[in-house]
Amino acid sequence: MDSATSDRAALRATADNGLKIVVVGGFGVGKTTMVRSVSEIRPLNTEETMTRAGEAVDHLDGVQSKTSTTVAFDFGRISLDERSVLYLFGAPGQERFWFLWDRLFSGTLGAVVLVDTRRLADSWYAIDRLEHHGTPFIVACNDFGGPLHTEQQIREALTLSDDVPLVECDARDRSSSKYVLITLVEYLHTLSRGGAAARSAAARPEIAPEMTPEPTP
């Protein structure tokens, strides 16, 4: 495991707002790559070399060239501004490690569901668990050079509602991965404003309609 600390960027003393974000998705969709590309510190990885013993339990269709796999989680960090920091957790993709997801979701502000459009069905479980926990999420389609799909085709395949943001990205590219995180933060901000407006409306006293006096006979 690579647990070395980074000498690239120290956390600012003024940062007092830590936001936990989880990157989830199927096996081999690029979660570790995204955390690694965007993190301002050297990420903590729990990657191990894949062995023949794992071939019997891991589904390698479409990812036969993969030689390592995350066995716990990835961790990285990126500063949004002087006071706000995103803590990034990349979840393992294999089915045998899904039991870790519920613990990773604890305290999570929101999530990115990373998708390989060649294997859309591999993302169903991630979306199901996030919806079960009531965790807001966006969907990011990682570029693997596969067949092109329209946005509507992807939404229908994943049963995504129109209000869930759907973006394209290249997890290897730092600016592309940052755009995904910015999209998630903006979506969470929109949801929080909507919730605040609903709470404000509920708190306002109900005003009785003005009564017009009946004419005096």
Side-chain angles (χ1 to χ4, degrees):
M1 285 190 243
D2 178 12
S3 58
T5 56
S6 172
D7 55 2
R8 277 191 278 172
L11 185 61
R12 295 180 182 274
T14 54
D16 57 6
N17 192 18
L19 311 173
K20 180 180 177 182
I21 299 297
V22 174
V23 182
V24 295
F27 181 42
V29 296
K31 300 179 295 296
T32 297
T33 301
M34 174 171 280
V35 172
R36 182 179 294 151
S37 72
V38 78
S39 178
E40 65 190 16
I41 63 171
R42 184 180 303 162
L44 182 150
N45 298 126
T46 58
E47 281 199 306
E48 296 291 344
T49 301
M50 297 180 64
T51 65
R52 290 189 176 275
E55 293 180 0
V57 291
D58 294 329
H59 303 292
L60 302 181
D61 294 341
V63 288
Q64 290 88 346
S65 61
K66 191 170 174 60
T67 59
S68 61
T69 183
T70 300
V71 297
F73 61 87
D74 305 307
F75 174 77
R77 190 192 77 207
I78 181 170
S79 298
L80 295 178
D81 53 38
E82 292 289 329
R83 311 194 70 85
S84 300
V85 178
L86 286 184
Y87 296 110
L88 309 175
F89 291 82
Q94 304 100 303
E95 184 174 349
R96 58 193 168 112
F97 295 127
W98 285 353
F99 71 93
L100 295 170
W101 286 20
D102 287 346
R103 290 188 176 273
L104 279 179
F105 291 163
S106 177
T108 297
L109 185 69
V112 174
V113 178
L114 200 57
V115 168
D116 179 352
T117 55
R118 302 170 301 174
R119 300 178 287 125
L120 285 172
D122 291 356
S123 304
W124 290 344
Y125 183 79
I127 293 174
D128 177 75
R129 296 313 299 166
L130 289 168
E131 290 178 341
H132 173 77
H133 283 270
T135 303
F137 65 91
I138 69 168
V139 173
C141 297
N142 196 10
D143 181 16
F144 283 94
L148 296 177
H149 299 277
T150 66
E151 177 177 333
Q152 189 59 34
Q153 287 173 330
I154 296 173
R155 287 190 180 277
E156 290 177 356
L158 299 177
T159 321
L160 285 182
S161 61
D162 292 338
D163 63 311
V164 175
L166 175 64
V167 298
E168 295 180 356
C169 74
D170 183 342
R172 300 166 299 181
D173 182 73
R174 177 176 173 82
S175 61
S176 182
S177 295
K178 285 180 68 174
Y179 172 73
V180 171
L181 297 178
I182 290 170
T183 301
L184 174 60
V185 171
E186 290 178 343
Y187 177 55
L188 295 174
H189 181 60
T190 299
L191 291 178
S192 67
R193 290 179 61 185
R199 289 191 298 271
S200 176
R204 286 198 295 267
E206 191 171 321
I207 301 175
E210 184 177 350
M211 301 296 292
T212 303
E214 296 184 5
T216 304

PDB file of all heavy atoms in Angstrom, residues 7-46:
ATOM      1  N   ASP A   7       4.431  15.856   0.141  1.00  0.00           N
ATOM      2  CA  ASP A   7       5.166  17.076   0.432  1.00  0.00           C
ATOM      3  C   ASP A   7       4.721  18.192  -0.510  1.00  0.00           C
ATOM      4  O   ASP A   7       5.380  19.201  -0.641  1.00  0.00           O
ATOM      5  CB  ASP A   7       6.674  16.834   0.289  1.00  0.00           C
ATOM      6  CG  ASP A   7       7.031  16.273  -1.090  1.00  0.00           C
ATOM      7  OD1 ASP A   7       6.114  16.113  -1.927  1.00  0.00           O
ATOM      8  OD2 ASP A   7       8.217  15.992  -1.313  1.00  0.00           O
ATOM      9  N   ARG A   8       3.578  17.992  -1.205  1.00  0.00           N
ATOM     10  CA  ARG A   8       3.138  18.951  -2.210  1.00  0.00           C
ATOM     11  C   ARG A   8       2.348  20.112  -1.632  1.00  0.00           C
ATOM     12  O   ARG A   8       2.535  21.244  -2.028  1.00  0.00           O
ATOM     13  CB  ARG A   8       2.306  18.239  -3.278  1.00  0.00           C
ATOM     14  CG  ARG A   8       3.140  17.571  -4.329  1.00  0.00           C
ATOM     15  CD  ARG A   8       2.271  17.125  -5.485  1.00  0.00           C
ATOM     16  NE  ARG A   8       1.627  15.851  -5.211  1.00  0.00           N
ATOM     17  CZ  ARG A   8       0.713  15.313  -5.980  1.00  0.00           C
ATOM     18  NH1 ARG A   8       0.305  15.962  -7.044  1.00  0.00           N
ATOM     19  NH2 ARG A   8       0.180  14.154  -5.683  1.00  0.00           N
ATOM     20  N   ALA A   9       1.413  19.836  -0.720  1.00  0.00           N
ATOM     21  CA  ALA A   9       0.537  20.918  -0.262  1.00  0.00           C
ATOM     22  C   ALA A   9       0.100  20.680   1.167  1.00  0.00           C
ATOM     23  O   ALA A   9      -0.477  19.658   1.480  1.00  0.00           O
ATOM     24  CB  ALA A   9      -0.691  21.019  -1.174  1.00  0.00           C
ATOM     25  N   ALA A  10       0.424  21.640   2.010  1.00  0.00           N
ATOM     26  CA  ALA A  10      -0.016  21.559   3.397  1.00  0.00           C
ATOM     27  C   ALA A  10      -1.418  22.127   3.520  1.00  0.00           C
ATOM     28  O   ALA A  10      -1.793  23.048   2.797  1.00  0.00           O
ATOM     29  CB  ALA A  10       0.945  22.336   4.303  1.00  0.00           C
ATOM     30  N   LEU A  11      -2.216  21.559   4.412  1.00  0.00           N
ATOM     31  CA  LEU A  11      -3.573  22.046   4.619  1.00  0.00           C
ATOM     32  C   LEU A  11      -3.519  23.424   5.269  1.00  0.00           C
ATOM     33  O   LEU A  11      -2.820  23.639   6.252  1.00  0.00           O
ATOM     34  CB  LEU A  11      -4.334  21.072   5.525  1.00  0.00           C
ATOM     35  CG  LEU A  11      -5.815  21.366   5.745  1.00  0.00           C
ATOM     36  CD1 LEU A  11      -6.566  21.317   4.418  1.00  0.00           C
ATOM     37  CD2 LEU A  11      -6.410  20.365   6.719  1.00  0.00           C
ATOM     38  N   ARG A  12      -4.257  24.366   4.694  1.00  0.00           N
ATOM     39  CA  ARG A  12      -4.244  25.731   5.224  1.00  0.00           C
ATOM     40  C   ARG A  12      -4.813  25.777   6.634  1.00  0.00           C
ATOM     41  O   ARG A  12      -5.777  25.099   6.954  1.00  0.00           O
ATOM     42  CB  ARG A  12      -5.071  26.649   4.320  1.00  0.00           C
ATOM     43  CG  ARG A  12      -4.500  26.813   2.920  1.00  0.00           C
ATOM     44  CD  ARG A  12      -5.369  27.733   2.104  1.00  0.00           C
ATOM     45  NE  ARG A  12      -4.877  27.878   0.745  1.00  0.00           N
ATOM     46  CZ  ARG A  12      -3.958  28.758   0.370  1.00  0.00           C
ATOM     47  NH1 ARG A  12      -3.447  29.576   1.272  1.00  0.00           N
ATOM     48  NH2 ARG A  12      -3.554  28.833  -0.876  1.00  0.00           N
ATOM     49  N   ALA A  13      -4.211  26.615   7.460  1.00  0.00           N
ATOM     50  CA  ALA A  13      -4.664  26.748   8.844  1.00  0.00           C
ATOM     51  C   ALA A  13      -6.063  27.337   8.920  1.00  0.00           C
ATOM     52  O   ALA A  13      -6.765  27.171   9.911  1.00  0.00           O
ATOM     53  CB  ALA A  13      -3.678  27.612   9.637  1.00  0.00           C
ATOM     54  N   THR A  14      -6.465  28.050   7.856  1.00  0.00           N
ATOM     55  CA  THR A  14      -7.784  28.692   7.876  1.00  0.00           C
ATOM     56  C   THR A  14      -8.911  27.741   7.490  1.00  0.00           C
ATOM     57  O   THR A  14     -10.080  28.075   7.623  1.00  0.00           O
ATOM     58  CB  THR A  14      -7.807  29.887   6.912  1.00  0.00           C
ATOM     59  OG1 THR A  14      -7.395  29.443   5.615  1.00  0.00           O
ATOM     60  CG2 THR A  14      -6.880  30.992   7.393  1.00  0.00           C
ATOM     61  N   ALA A  15      -8.570  26.551   6.955  1.00  0.00           N
ATOM     62  CA  ALA A  15      -9.598  25.620   6.503  1.00  0.00           C
ATOM     63  C   ALA A  15     -10.364  25.061   7.695  1.00  0.00           C
ATOM     64  O   ALA A  15      -9.776  24.514   8.613  1.00  0.00           O
ATOM     65  CB  ALA A  15      -8.968  24.489   5.704  1.00  0.00           C
ATOM     66  N   ASP A  16     -11.670  25.266   7.704  1.00  0.00           N
ATOM     67  CA  ASP A  16     -12.459  24.781   8.831  1.00  0.00           C
ATOM     68  C   ASP A  16     -13.737  24.087   8.363  1.00  0.00           C
ATOM     69  O   ASP A  16     -14.610  23.783   9.159  1.00  0.00           O
ATOM     70  CB  ASP A  16     -12.820  25.926   9.784  1.00  0.00           C
ATOM     71  CG  ASP A  16     -13.573  27.054   9.079  1.00  0.00           C
ATOM     72  OD1 ASP A  16     -13.919  26.902   7.889  1.00  0.00           O
ATOM     73  OD2 ASP A  16     -13.798  28.094   9.728  1.00  0.00           O
ATOM     74  N   ASN A  17     -13.848  23.849   7.056  1.00  0.00           N
ATOM     75  CA  ASN A  17     -15.055  23.242   6.517  1.00  0.00           C
ATOM     76  C   ASN A  17     -14.663  22.047   5.654  1.00  0.00           C
ATOM     77  O   ASN A  17     -14.387  22.180   4.467  1.00  0.00           O
ATOM     78  CB  ASN A  17     -15.838  24.276   5.689  1.00  0.00           C
ATOM     79  CG  ASN A  17     -17.226  23.790   5.346  1.00  0.00           C
ATOM     80  OD1 ASN A  17     -17.740  22.870   5.962  1.00  0.00           O
ATOM     81  ND2 ASN A  17     -17.839  24.413   4.348  1.00  0.00           N
ATOM     82  N   GLY A  18     -14.600  20.876   6.268  1.00  0.00           N
ATOM     83  CA  GLY A  18     -14.227  19.657   5.566  1.00  0.00           C
ATOM     84  C   GLY A  18     -15.453  18.939   5.021  1.00  0.00           C
ATOM     85  O   GLY A  18     -16.389  18.654   5.764  1.00  0.00           O
ATOM     86  N   LEU A  19     -15.472  18.676   3.720  1.00  0.00           N
ATOM     87  CA  LEU A  19     -16.614  18.061   3.059  1.00  0.00           C
ATOM     88  C   LEU A  19     -16.205  16.701   2.507  1.00  0.00           C
ATOM     89  O   LEU A  19     -15.256  16.596   1.726  1.00  0.00           O
ATOM     90  CB  LEU A  19     -17.107  18.957   1.913  1.00  0.00           C
ATOM     91  CG  LEU A  19     -17.310  20.432   2.259  1.00  0.00           C
ATOM     92  CD1 LEU A  19     -17.642  21.231   1.007  1.00  0.00           C
ATOM     93  CD2 LEU A  19     -18.403  20.583   3.301  1.00  0.00           C
ATOM     94  N   LYS A  20     -16.924  15.677   2.897  1.00  0.00           N
ATOM     95  CA  LYS A  20     -16.587  14.318   2.474  1.00  0.00           C
ATOM     96  C   LYS A  20     -17.347  13.963   1.199  1.00  0.00           C
ATOM     97  O   LYS A  20     -18.561  14.059   1.141  1.00  0.00           O
ATOM     98  CB  LYS A  20     -16.936  13.329   3.592  1.00  0.00           C
ATOM     99  CG  LYS A  20     -16.620  11.871   3.242  1.00  0.00           C
ATOM    100  CD  LYS A  20     -16.995  10.958   4.392  1.00  0.00           C
ATOM    101  CE  LYS A  20     -16.750   9.492   4.042  1.00  0.00           C
ATOM    102  NZ  LYS A  20     -17.154   8.587   5.151  1.00  0.00           N
ATOM    103  N   ILE A  21     -16.597  13.522   0.184  1.00  0.00           N
ATOM    104  CA  ILE A  21     -17.150  13.119  -1.100  1.00  0.00           C
ATOM    105  C   ILE A  21     -16.689  11.691  -1.399  1.00  0.00           C
ATOM    106  O   ILE A  21     -15.523  11.355  -1.182  1.00  0.00           O
ATOM    107  CB  ILE A  21     -16.682  14.053  -2.231  1.00  0.00           C
ATOM    108  CG1 ILE A  21     -17.151  15.486  -1.971  1.00  0.00           C
ATOM    109  CG2 ILE A  21     -17.174  13.557  -3.590  1.00  0.00           C
ATOM    110  CD1 ILE A  21     -18.638  15.669  -1.948  1.00  0.00           C
ATOM    111  N   VAL A  22     -17.588  10.861  -1.915  1.00  0.00           N
ATOM    112  CA  VAL A  22     -17.239   9.489  -2.270  1.00  0.00           C
ATOM    113  C   VAL A  22     -17.361   9.313  -3.779  1.00  0.00           C
ATOM    114  O   VAL A  22     -18.323   9.775  -4.395  1.00  0.00           O
ATOM    115  CB  VAL A  22     -18.150   8.473  -1.543  1.00  0.00           C
ATOM    116  CG1 VAL A  22     -17.875   7.058  -2.030  1.00  0.00           C
ATOM    117  CG2 VAL A  22     -17.928   8.544  -0.035  1.00  0.00           C
ATOM    118  N   VAL A  23     -16.371   8.644  -4.362  1.00  0.00           N
ATOM    119  CA  VAL A  23     -16.408   8.287  -5.781  1.00  0.00           C
ATOM    120  C   VAL A  23     -16.680   6.792  -5.867  1.00  0.00           C
ATOM    121  O   VAL A  23     -15.891   5.978  -5.367  1.00  0.00           O
ATOM    122  CB  VAL A  23     -15.084   8.630  -6.488  1.00  0.00           C
ATOM    123  CG1 VAL A  23     -15.168   8.293  -7.976  1.00  0.00           C
ATOM    124  CG2 VAL A  23     -14.735  10.096  -6.291  1.00  0.00           C
ATOM    125  N   VAL A  24     -17.813   6.430  -6.469  1.00  0.00           N
ATOM    126  CA  VAL A  24     -18.211   5.027  -6.529  1.00  0.00           C
ATOM    127  C   VAL A  24     -18.455   4.630  -7.982  1.00  0.00           C
ATOM    128  O   VAL A  24     -18.507   5.461  -8.877  1.00  0.00           O
ATOM    129  CB  VAL A  24     -19.486   4.761  -5.692  1.00  0.00           C
ATOM    130  CG1 VAL A  24     -19.232   4.988  -4.226  1.00  0.00           C
ATOM    131  CG2 VAL A  24     -20.640   5.634  -6.168  1.00  0.00           C
ATOM    132  N   GLY A  25     -18.622   3.339  -8.191  1.00  0.00           N
ATOM    133  CA  GLY A  25     -18.884   2.836  -9.531  1.00  0.00           C
ATOM    134  C   GLY A  25     -18.422   1.406  -9.645  1.00  0.00           C
ATOM    135  O   GLY A  25     -17.920   0.807  -8.692  1.00  0.00           O
ATOM    136  N   GLY A  26     -18.597   0.841 -10.811  1.00  0.00           N
ATOM    137  CA  GLY A  26     -18.230  -0.550 -11.044  1.00  0.00           C
ATOM    138  C   GLY A  26     -16.731  -0.768 -11.051  1.00  0.00           C
ATOM    139  O   GLY A  26     -15.928   0.170 -10.931  1.00  0.00           O
ATOM    140  N   PHE A  27     -16.360  -2.014 -11.219  1.00  0.00           N
ATOM    141  CA  PHE A  27     -14.960  -2.430 -11.224  1.00  0.00           C
ATOM    142  C   PHE A  27     -14.254  -1.874 -12.463  1.00  0.00           C
ATOM    143  O   PHE A  27     -14.724  -2.020 -13.588  1.00  0.00           O
ATOM    144  CB  PHE A  27     -14.913  -3.963 -11.228  1.00  0.00           C
ATOM    145  CG  PHE A  27     -13.537  -4.546 -11.202  1.00  0.00           C
ATOM    146  CD1 PHE A  27     -12.549  -4.014 -10.396  1.00  0.00           C
ATOM    147  CD2 PHE A  27     -13.237  -5.649 -11.977  1.00  0.00           C
ATOM    148  CE1 PHE A  27     -11.290  -4.573 -10.346  1.00  0.00           C
ATOM    149  CE2 PHE A  27     -11.979  -6.225 -11.941  1.00  0.00           C
ATOM    150  CZ  PHE A  27     -11.003  -5.681 -11.132  1.00  0.00           C
ATOM    151  N   GLY A  28     -13.145  -1.166 -12.234  1.00  0.00           N
ATOM    152  CA  GLY A  28     -12.324  -0.701 -13.336  1.00  0.00           C
ATOM    153  C   GLY A  28     -12.854   0.488 -14.102  1.00  0.00           C
ATOM    154  O   GLY A  28     -12.471   0.706 -15.255  1.00  0.00           O
ATOM    155  N   VAL A  29     -13.728   1.309 -13.468  1.00  0.00           N
ATOM    156  CA  VAL A  29     -14.279   2.471 -14.192  1.00  0.00           C
ATOM    157  C   VAL A  29     -13.403   3.715 -14.059  1.00  0.00           C
ATOM    158  O   VAL A  29     -13.677   4.729 -14.700  1.00  0.00           O
ATOM    159  CB  VAL A  29     -15.719   2.802 -13.717  1.00  0.00           C
ATOM    160  CG1 VAL A  29     -16.666   1.676 -14.035  1.00  0.00           C
ATOM    161  CG2 VAL A  29     -15.748   3.149 -12.230  1.00  0.00           C
ATOM    162  N   GLY A  30     -12.373   3.670 -13.206  1.00  0.00           N
ATOM    163  CA  GLY A  30     -11.451   4.807 -13.099  1.00  0.00           C
ATOM    164  C   GLY A  30     -11.520   5.586 -11.812  1.00  0.00           C
ATOM    165  O   GLY A  30     -11.080   6.738 -11.751  1.00  0.00           O
ATOM    166  N   LYS A  31     -12.049   4.984 -10.749  1.00  0.00           N
ATOM    167  CA  LYS A  31     -12.198   5.708  -9.473  1.00  0.00           C
ATOM    168  C   LYS A  31     -10.836   6.086  -8.896  1.00  0.00           C
ATOM    169  O   LYS A  31     -10.620   7.228  -8.494  1.00  0.00           O
ATOM    170  CB  LYS A  31     -13.003   4.841  -8.488  1.00  0.00           C
ATOM    171  CG  LYS A  31     -14.396   4.494  -8.979  1.00  0.00           C
ATOM    172  CD  LYS A  31     -15.147   3.628  -7.981  1.00  0.00           C
ATOM    173  CE  LYS A  31     -14.515   2.274  -7.792  1.00  0.00           C
ATOM    174  NZ  LYS A  31     -14.539   1.456  -9.036  1.00  0.00           N
ATOM    175  N   THR A  32      -9.916   5.136  -8.840  1.00  0.00           N
ATOM    176  CA  THR A  32      -8.575   5.416  -8.321  1.00  0.00           C
ATOM    177  C   THR A  32      -7.880   6.461  -9.185  1.00  0.00           C
ATOM    178  O   THR A  32      -7.225   7.377  -8.669  1.00  0.00           O
ATOM    179  CB  THR A  32      -7.737   4.128  -8.287  1.00  0.00           C
ATOM    180  OG1 THR A  32      -8.340   3.196  -7.377  1.00  0.00           O
ATOM    181  CG2 THR A  32      -6.316   4.407  -7.825  1.00  0.00           C
ATOM    182  N   THR A  33      -8.046   6.351 -10.500  1.00  0.00           N
ATOM    183  CA  THR A  33      -7.431   7.305 -11.422  1.00  0.00           C
ATOM    184  C   THR A  33      -7.953   8.709 -11.180  1.00  0.00           C
ATOM    185  O   THR A  33      -7.182   9.682 -11.188  1.00  0.00           O
ATOM    186  CB  THR A  33      -7.713   6.887 -12.876  1.00  0.00           C
ATOM    187  OG1 THR A  33      -7.176   5.577 -13.099  1.00  0.00           O
ATOM    188  CG2 THR A  33      -7.089   7.861 -13.853  1.00  0.00           C
ATOM    189  N   MET A  34      -9.254   8.851 -10.951  1.00  0.00           N
ATOM    190  CA  MET A  34      -9.824  10.178 -10.710  1.00  0.00           C
ATOM    191  C   MET A  34      -9.290  10.785  -9.424  1.00  0.00           C
ATOM    192  O   MET A  34      -8.887  11.961  -9.400  1.00  0.00           O
ATOM    193  CB  MET A  34     -11.351  10.100 -10.662  1.00  0.00           C
ATOM    194  CG  MET A  34     -12.015  11.421 -10.282  1.00  0.00           C
ATOM    195  SD  MET A  34     -13.811  11.456 -10.470  1.00  0.00           S
ATOM    196  CE  MET A  34     -13.916  11.730 -12.257  1.00  0.00           C
ATOM    197  N   VAL A  35      -9.287  10.018  -8.344  1.00  0.00           N
ATOM    198  CA  VAL A  35      -8.782  10.532  -7.067  1.00  0.00           C
ATOM    199  C   VAL A  35      -7.320  10.934  -7.220  1.00  0.00           C
ATOM    200  O   VAL A  35      -6.888  12.000  -6.743  1.00  0.00           O
ATOM    201  CB  VAL A  35      -8.949   9.491  -5.949  1.00  0.00           C
ATOM    202  CG1 VAL A  35      -8.254   9.957  -4.664  1.00  0.00           C
ATOM    203  CG2 VAL A  35     -10.425   9.225  -5.677  1.00  0.00           C
ATOM    204  N   ARG A  36      -6.557  10.109  -7.912  1.00  0.00           N
ATOM    205  CA  ARG A  36      -5.130  10.380  -8.092  1.00  0.00           C
ATOM    206  C   ARG A  36      -4.902  11.629  -8.943  1.00  0.00           C
ATOM    207  O   ARG A  36      -4.000  12.428  -8.658  1.00  0.00           O
ATOM    208  CB  ARG A  36      -4.468   9.172  -8.751  1.00  0.00           C
ATOM    209  CG  ARG A  36      -2.960   9.291  -8.953  1.00  0.00           C
ATOM    210  CD  ARG A  36      -2.435   8.024  -9.598  1.00  0.00           C
ATOM    211  NE  ARG A  36      -2.573   6.879  -8.709  1.00  0.00           N
ATOM    212  CZ  ARG A  36      -2.731   5.624  -9.124  1.00  0.00           C
ATOM    213  NH1 ARG A  36      -2.836   5.368 -10.421  1.00  0.00           N
ATOM    214  NH2 ARG A  36      -2.817   4.644  -8.254  1.00  0.00           N
ATOM    215  N   SER A  37      -5.716  11.823  -9.975  1.00  0.00           N
ATOM    216  CA  SER A  37      -5.493  12.941 -10.899  1.00  0.00           C
ATOM    217  C   SER A  37      -5.837  14.287 -10.273  1.00  0.00           C
ATOM    218  O   SER A  37      -5.224  15.301 -10.593  1.00  0.00           O
ATOM    219  CB  SER A  37      -6.313  12.743 -12.175  1.00  0.00           C
ATOM    220  OG  SER A  37      -7.695  12.944 -11.936  1.00  0.00           O
ATOM    221  N   VAL A  38      -6.824  14.304  -9.378  1.00  0.00           N
ATOM    222  CA  VAL A  38      -7.334  15.583  -8.883  1.00  0.00           C
ATOM    223  C   VAL A  38      -6.795  15.947  -7.499  1.00  0.00           C
ATOM    224  O   VAL A  38      -6.824  17.121  -7.113  1.00  0.00           O
ATOM    225  CB  VAL A  38      -8.880  15.561  -8.854  1.00  0.00           C
ATOM    226  CG1 VAL A  38      -9.400  14.793  -7.658  1.00  0.00           C
ATOM    227  CG2 VAL A  38      -9.454  16.958  -8.916  1.00  0.00           C
ATOM    228  N   SER A  39      -6.290  14.994  -6.758  1.00  0.00           N
ATOM    229  CA  SER A  39      -5.860  15.259  -5.384  1.00  0.00           C
ATOM    230  C   SER A  39      -4.649  16.187  -5.354  1.00  0.00           C
ATOM    231  O   SER A  39      -3.706  16.031  -6.136  1.00  0.00           O
ATOM    232  CB  SER A  39      -5.512  13.951  -4.673  1.00  0.00           C
ATOM    233  OG  SER A  39      -5.044  14.209  -3.354  1.00  0.00           O
ATOM    234  N   GLU A  40      -4.668  17.159  -4.437  1.00  0.00           N
ATOM    235  CA  GLU A  40      -3.544  18.081  -4.297  1.00  0.00           C
ATOM    236  C   GLU A  40      -2.464  17.503  -3.383  1.00  0.00           C
ATOM    237  O   GLU A  40      -1.396  18.089  -3.247  1.00  0.00           O
ATOM    238  CB  GLU A  40      -4.025  19.418  -3.752  1.00  0.00           C
ATOM    239  CG  GLU A  40      -4.584  19.344  -2.346  1.00  0.00           C
ATOM    240  CD  GLU A  40      -5.275  20.635  -1.920  1.00  0.00           C
ATOM    241  OE1 GLU A  40      -5.579  21.455  -2.809  1.00  0.00           O
ATOM    242  OE2 GLU A  40      -5.506  20.794  -0.716  1.00  0.00           O
ATOM    243  N   ILE A  41      -2.754  16.397  -2.767  1.00  0.00           N
ATOM    244  CA  ILE A  41      -1.749  15.674  -1.982  1.00  0.00           C
ATOM    245  C   ILE A  41      -1.501  14.327  -2.650  1.00  0.00           C
ATOM    246  O   ILE A  41      -2.270  13.893  -3.512  1.00  0.00           O
ATOM    247  CB  ILE A  41      -2.212  15.445  -0.521  1.00  0.00           C
ATOM    248  CG1 ILE A  41      -3.462  14.559  -0.490  1.00  0.00           C
ATOM    249  CG2 ILE A  41      -2.440  16.762   0.177  1.00  0.00           C
ATOM    250  CD1 ILE A  41      -3.867  14.105   0.904  1.00  0.00           C
ATOM    251  N   ARG A  42      -0.432  13.675  -2.276  1.00  0.00           N
ATOM    252  CA  ARG A  42      -0.199  12.329  -2.774  1.00  0.00           C
ATOM    253  C   ARG A  42      -1.264  11.415  -2.172  1.00  0.00           C
ATOM    254  O   ARG A  42      -1.347  11.266  -0.954  1.00  0.00           O
ATOM    255  CB  ARG A  42       1.189  11.831  -2.380  1.00  0.00           C
ATOM    256  CG  ARG A  42       1.538  10.463  -2.958  1.00  0.00           C
ATOM    257  CD  ARG A  42       2.933  10.049  -2.524  1.00  0.00           C
ATOM    258  NE  ARG A  42       3.910  11.042  -2.928  1.00  0.00           N
ATOM    259  CZ  ARG A  42       5.129  11.141  -2.402  1.00  0.00           C
ATOM    260  NH1 ARG A  42       5.489  10.336  -1.417  1.00  0.00           N
ATOM    261  NH2 ARG A  42       5.965  12.054  -2.839  1.00  0.00           N
ATOM    262  N   PRO A  43      -2.129  10.835  -2.986  1.00  0.00           N
ATOM    263  CA  PRO A  43      -3.252  10.074  -2.440  1.00  0.00           C
ATOM    264  C   PRO A  43      -2.809   8.798  -1.738  1.00  0.00           C
ATOM    265  O   PRO A  43      -1.781   8.206  -2.080  1.00  0.00           O
ATOM    266  CB  PRO A  43      -4.106   9.751  -3.670  1.00  0.00           C
ATOM    267  CG  PRO A  43      -3.147   9.790  -4.807  1.00  0.00           C
ATOM    268  CD  PRO A  43      -2.132  10.851  -4.462  1.00  0.00           C
ATOM    269  N   LEU A  44      -3.602   8.425  -0.756  1.00  0.00           N
ATOM    270  CA  LEU A  44      -3.407   7.132  -0.110  1.00  0.00           C
ATOM    271  C   LEU A  44      -4.147   6.102  -0.940  1.00  0.00           C
ATOM    272  O   LEU A  44      -5.343   6.240  -1.196  1.00  0.00           O
ATOM    273  CB  LEU A  44      -3.950   7.148   1.321  1.00  0.00           C
ATOM    274  CG  LEU A  44      -3.764   5.865   2.140  1.00  0.00           C
ATOM    275  CD1 LEU A  44      -3.628   6.222   3.621  1.00  0.00           C
ATOM    276  CD2 LEU A  44      -4.927   4.886   1.972  1.00  0.00           C
ATOM    277  N   ASN A  45      -3.442   5.079  -1.385  1.00  0.00           N
ATOM    278  CA  ASN A  45      -4.045   4.027  -2.179  1.00  0.00           C
ATOM    279  C   ASN A  45      -3.966   2.700  -1.450  1.00  0.00           C
ATOM    280  O   ASN A  45      -3.026   2.450  -0.697  1.00  0.00           O
ATOM    281  CB  ASN A  45      -3.334   3.876  -3.532  1.00  0.00           C
ATOM    282  CG  ASN A  45      -3.430   5.130  -4.384  1.00  0.00           C
ATOM    283  OD1 ASN A  45      -2.417   5.651  -4.820  1.00  0.00           O
ATOM    284  ND2 ASN A  45      -4.632   5.607  -4.612  1.00  0.00           N
ATOM    285  N   THR A  46      -4.951   1.849  -1.661  1.00  0.00           N
ATOM    286  CA  THR A  46      -4.918   0.488  -1.112  1.00  0.00           C
ATOM    287  C   THR A  46      -5.000  -0.491  -2.273  1.00  0.00           C
ATOM    288  O   THR A  46      -5.762  -1.447  -2.260  1.00  0.00           O
ATOM    289  CB  THR A  46      -6.071   0.256  -0.122  1.00  0.00           C
ATOM    290  OG1 THR A  46      -7.322   0.496  -0.785  1.00  0.00           O
ATOM    291  CG2 THR A  46      -5.966   1.171   1.082  1.00  0.00           C
TER     292      THR A  46
END
